[in-house]
Amino acid sequence: LYRSLRNAAAACLAALLVASCATNAATGGRNVVFSSMEKEAEQSRRWYDEIIRFYGVYQDQAVQDYVKAVGMRIARNSDLPDLNWTFTVIDEGSINAFTTGGGYVYVHRGLLAYLNSEAELAAVLGHEIAHVTARHPARGQTRSVGANLGILATIILTGNAALADLANIGSAAWVQGYGREAETEADSIGMKYMVRAGYDPRAARAVFDAFKAQESFEIAAARAEGRQPNIYHGVFSSHPAPDARAINAARAAAAVAEPEGGFVTNRNIYMQAIDGLAFGSSRAQGVVRDNRFYHADMGITMAFPRDWIVENHRDRLMAYTRAQDTFMQITMEPVPAGKSPREFLIGHLKGAQLVGGESVTINGMDGYMVLTRNGSPLDRGAGPLRIIALYRGNNAFVFAGASRSSRNGRPEADGLFRSVAETTRDLRPAEYALAEPYRIRILRATDKTRLSEYAERIPSQKYQKEELELINAVYPDKPLPVGEYIKIVE
């Protein structure tokens, strides 16, 4: 015992040269951390500003208040009940949640659509709260989070959409960067917190089952489309697989004695809280309907060929053919004071080999367009790009188009790229209603309710029925819970 204590003391003394060594209230172990909780909270507060600037806060105060109330209920039952906790729903349609430590927890709007009870939300928030109390961000991971936020800050300050792919990797790392051991630890601690708060621990199993269903669907879709599945732990190996976590959660839940008054699930309350939640893109991000993009706040619209796939990302529009041999990207950047469209575009493409510059005017917007000799992402940079910049107020829309093949130094679809730019115009009064997002709507299922009857209302270009099954936790082809609230999209 003496030798163990002496070794532990020596380890802490050495660690103090670069960090602090303390017993963790959540884990019961001794952790070497690189900052105090106060410093971690201050750093996370600064990161908060950058995260919100990049993603935006979801503009529904009732949803924000509801998520905060559930989060605070769990946080008060955590090992750091007096920490200044902050819970924020960010305006991002993907299925995710993360923390940067210091009491700051973020939930992606898109995740809320795939949960089906308050207890499931409690399981997610409990897991993130556990990351904070176990000091996982401070135990070596804070530096990578800071690096990723530095990338986001660069995008925000420079408007350089070429860095967006790096930002996507960074945002994934926020929730996947703690390692398998830490994730398993957060699962266990988070379940302890949600049980203390009175929530049904079996909801944790339901959350992991939902992740597993998403994974199964993605594997099946990728196989049908002849591509690699987009599965997070296929790229980042730090998370345990969803099925393993579901099994662990089920075992842990089975060992918990149910209180006399029963556990809290609050399925109906949760469903009512998310009734009207934006699904897919929000109003602030713009909406794609029938391959036409509408943005009410900017008062603008543009159209793409009907057989193309159009993806509305937070920082860009992407459109491409199903064969993926023709590709367009549209970004918006601030106009430098006093610079003409020609000066802006040449400066934007600094270093590229440009040919064929030409001034254009489209629906009252002045612009400039050029061809590059190379740079196409479809043939390892060998092919040309068509680049068009259109000024609208203080912003410039930048259209970039590439085809897998080219003729006479032009992308094969060059004329099509120009025609897409020419569809850009102001919204007409009657079109503002089309700029409203698709939303989650709640109805009570009967024995005659069929999700297939509502499938065509969902914004997905394919797999509409499967998406409805996934958000209702009945994928694949499980029966609906008759008499219970379910979700549709309209």
Side-chain angles (χ1 to χ4, degrees):
L1 177 61
Y2 171 77
R3 183 177 299 166
S4 297
L5 290 173
R6 184 183 64 187
N7 291 342
C12 280
L13 182 61
L16 279 170
L17 295 174
V18 293
S20 64
C21 187
T23 300
N24 186 289
T27 66
R30 296 185 68 79
N31 305 136
V32 176
V33 295
F34 292 90
S35 65
S36 67
M37 179 58 78
E38 291 76 15
K39 289 183 178 179
E40 181 181 329
E42 176 58 26
Q43 179 63 74
S44 290
R45 188 202 64 75
R46 291 194 294 270
W47 284 337
Y48 173 88
D49 295 336
E50 296 178 9
I51 290 169
I52 295 310
R53 193 178 298 118
F54 185 71
Y55 286 108
V57 173
Y58 179 52
Q59 297 300 314
D60 187 322
Q61 194 58 47
V63 170
Q64 295 286 348
D65 291 345
Y66 177 70
V67 171
K68 178 181 178 180
V70 176
M72 289 304 301
R73 177 172 176 170
I74 302 164
R76 291 191 197 99
N77 287 277
S78 76
D79 294 292
L80 292 173
D82 298 324
L83 190 63
N84 184 23
W85 292 93
T86 300
F87 299 91
T88 306
V89 180
I90 56 177
D91 196 9
E92 168 60 39
S94 58
I95 305 170
N96 215 343
F98 65 93
T99 178
T100 57
Y104 285 79
V105 175
Y106 303 86
V107 177
H108 289 214
R109 168 178 53 81
L111 175 62
L112 299 177
Y114 289 83
L115 302 178
N116 284 279
S117 73
E118 187 175 298
E120 291 181 24
L121 175 60
V124 171
L125 295 176
H127 177 91
E128 299 306 327
I129 289 169
H131 276 312
V132 176
T133 62
R135 302 301 307 278
H136 290 154
R139 284 156 60 183
Q141 294 301 322
T142 304
R143 290 166 296 177
S144 63
V145 174
N148 293 325
L149 282 169
I151 293 170
L152 298 189
T154 301
I155 298 170
I156 294 162
L157 295 173
T158 66
N160 189 346
L163 295 177
D165 288 337
L166 293 177
N168 290 337
I169 293 172
S171 63
W174 286 332
V175 74
Q176 293 151 9
Y178 296 120
R180 288 177 180 270
E181 182 179 349
E183 292 301 331
T184 300
E185 189 172 66
D187 287 346
S188 176
I189 297 171
M191 181 175 289
K192 178 177 69 175
Y193 293 161
M194 69 180 292
V195 169
R196 284 182 187 172
Y199 288 107
D200 190 339
R202 289 169 292 191
R205 167 71 188 259
V207 172
F208 297 132
D209 282 343
F211 292 161
K212 178 62 178 175
Q214 283 283 342
E215 179 184 279
S216 298
F217 165 69
E218 173 60 19
I219 290 173
R223 186 182 298 118
E225 297 170 5
R227 59 175 174 81
Q228 290 296 314
N230 182 21
I231 301 171
Y232 70 78
H233 63 268
V235 179
F236 296 92
S237 59
S238 59
H239 266 57
D243 49 353
R245 297 174 80 179
I247 292 170
N248 292 336
R251 288 173 177 166
V256 176
E258 187 164 352
E260 194 171 310
F263 287 118
V264 173
T265 300
N266 285 351
R267 176 186 172 92
N268 288 351
I269 291 174
Y270 179 81
M271 291 293 209
Q272 291 166 346
I274 66 165
D275 192 10
L277 182 80
F279 185 83
S281 298
S282 69
R283 190 179 192 274
Q285 296 164 334
V287 175
V288 177
R289 294 180 185 268
D290 297 324
N291 277 32
R292 180 173 277 277
F293 175 71
Y294 302 89
H295 201 296
D297 293 346
M298 290 191 294
I300 201 164
T301 181
M302 63 185 67
F304 300 90
R306 294 190 65 84
D307 58 341
W308 282 24
I309 296 169
V310 182
E311 296 180 0
N312 184 15
H313 297 267
R314 61 180 170 267
D315 58 345
R316 54 187 163 158
L317 277 170
M318 290 173 53
Y320 50 90
T321 59
R322 295 187 182 276
Q324 299 185 18
D325 56 3
T326 299
F327 168 88
M328 284 194 77
Q329 175 176 281
I330 298 93
T331 59
M332 187 177 73
E333 302 186 19
V335 172
K339 288 199 173 183
S340 67
R342 178 182 179 278
E343 292 169 327
F344 163 78
L345 195 53
I346 290 174
H348 178 73
L349 300 172
K350 187 176 181 180
Q353 299 180 47
L354 307 180
V355 293
E358 179 183 346
S359 295
V360 296
T361 300
I362 296 173
N363 295 320
M365 293 175 285
D366 291 332
Y368 195 77
M369 64 181 184
V370 297
L371 285 167
T372 68
R373 294 190 183 277
N374 49 37
S376 167
L378 299 179
D379 48 14
R380 300 182 180 180
L385 288 167
R386 167 62 70 184
I387 311 289
I388 304 171
L390 287 180
Y391 273 18
R392 187 174 186 272
N394 295 323
N395 295 307
F397 289 99
V398 180
F399 299 76
S403 297
R404 195 173 300 281
S405 58
S406 58
R407 296 179 181 176
N408 301 320
R410 298 172 180 265
E412 190 171 51
D414 188 39
L416 196 55
F417 301 148
R418 296 178 62 166
S419 68
V420 168
E422 288 168 357
T423 68
T424 306
R425 59 171 173 78
D426 291 343
L427 278 177
R428 297 165 184 151
E431 291 176 320
Y432 276 85
L434 297 173
E436 292 300 318
Y438 291 86
R439 296 187 183 275
I440 295 286
R441 298 299 180 193
I442 304 302
L443 57 85
R444 202 175 290 276
T446 70
D447 57 357
K448 294 182 173 59
T449 305
R450 301 291 182 270
L451 290 179
S452 56
E453 297 175 5
Y454 301 95
E456 73 274 4
R457 304 183 188 181
I458 206 165
S460 305
Q461 294 177 309
K462 51 186 174 179
Y463 306 121
Q464 292 96 330
K465 177 174 174 288
E466 289 82 357
E467 284 284 2
L468 285 179
E469 290 178 340
L470 287 166
I471 66 174
N472 284 289
V474 294
Y475 176 85
D477 293 318
K478 296 177 183 176
L480 289 171
V482 175
E484 299 281 356
Y485 283 127
I486 64 167
K487 308 170 208 153
I488 62 171
V489 176
E490 60 182 23

